[in-house]
Amino acid sequence: GRAALTHSIDFDGFQKLFDTRSPVGCPAVPAKFLDRRQCLKFNAKQAKRELAQHKKYPKLKFFYSAMGGEDMNRGAEWLQAQWKKSLGVHVDLVPEEQLVYLIHLRTKAPPVFRK
């Protein structure tokens, strides 16, 4: 599941979308200080192999805080498009009000979310 979603994302495209040099999830941290493991490299073939191992995956929902505004929405829509393009998987987007989102993460974190 999660490995397939991770491998199917072209992180370089994300950096272009937001005109940033920092990798996804690592704001203001120069890439030279990060361990760019295999999980952060776009690999559509590996993503499809990973997904094939999870034939009965649930309907996927991507949860995120609506407090991030337009940038967060744009990023979520971009991820949704990446998963559709690379894996043929539709992921519903679920923006939540910040307090509700934090409670949701503390009580039962969803399988796919962005913090």
Side-chain angles (χ1 to χ4, degrees), residues 1-11 14 24 39 42-44 47-48 51 57 60-64 74-94 111-114:
R2 285 186 188 170
L5 295 175
T6 302
H7 284 106
S8 68
I9 298 170
D10 179 3
F11 289 103
F14 187 90
V24 176
C39 67
F42 177 67
N43 188 333
K48 288 178 183 178
L51 188 64
Y57 57 88
L60 295 173
K61 293 182 180 182
F62 178 67
F63 290 82
Y64 61 98
R74 184 171 44 146
E77 290 169 358
W78 183 85
L79 288 168
Q80 181 186 49
Q82 286 287 296
W83 293 323
K84 183 70 172 176
K85 176 183 169 185
S86 298
L87 297 173
V89 172
H90 176 75
V91 178
D92 289 325
L93 301 180
V94 185
V112 185
F113 64 92
R114 179 156 186 218

Side-chain angles (χ1 to χ4, degrees), residues 6-72:
T6 302
H7 284 106
S8 68
I9 298 170
D10 179 3
F11 289 103
D12 292 335
F14 187 90
Q15 289 175 293
K16 290 176 188 170
L17 177 70
F18 287 100
D19 192 26
T20 180
R21 292 187 178 151
S22 298
V24 176
C26 304
V29 177
K32 66 182 179 181
F33 295 119
L34 298 171
D35 175 14
R36 299 287 287 184
R37 288 173 255 143
Q38 180 63 28
C39 67
L40 292 179
K41 293 184 180 172
F42 177 67
N43 188 333
K45 289 181 183 178
Q46 184 170 350
K48 288 178 183 178
R49 282 194 304 269
E50 293 279 349
L51 188 64
Q53 295 176 13
H54 300 279
K55 292 178 182 175
K56 291 187 176 183
Y57 57 88
K59 185 174 182 179
L60 295 173
K61 293 182 180 182
F62 178 67
F63 290 82
Y64 61 98
S65 171
M67 190 171 92
E70 187 54 37
D71 279 349
M72 186 62 82

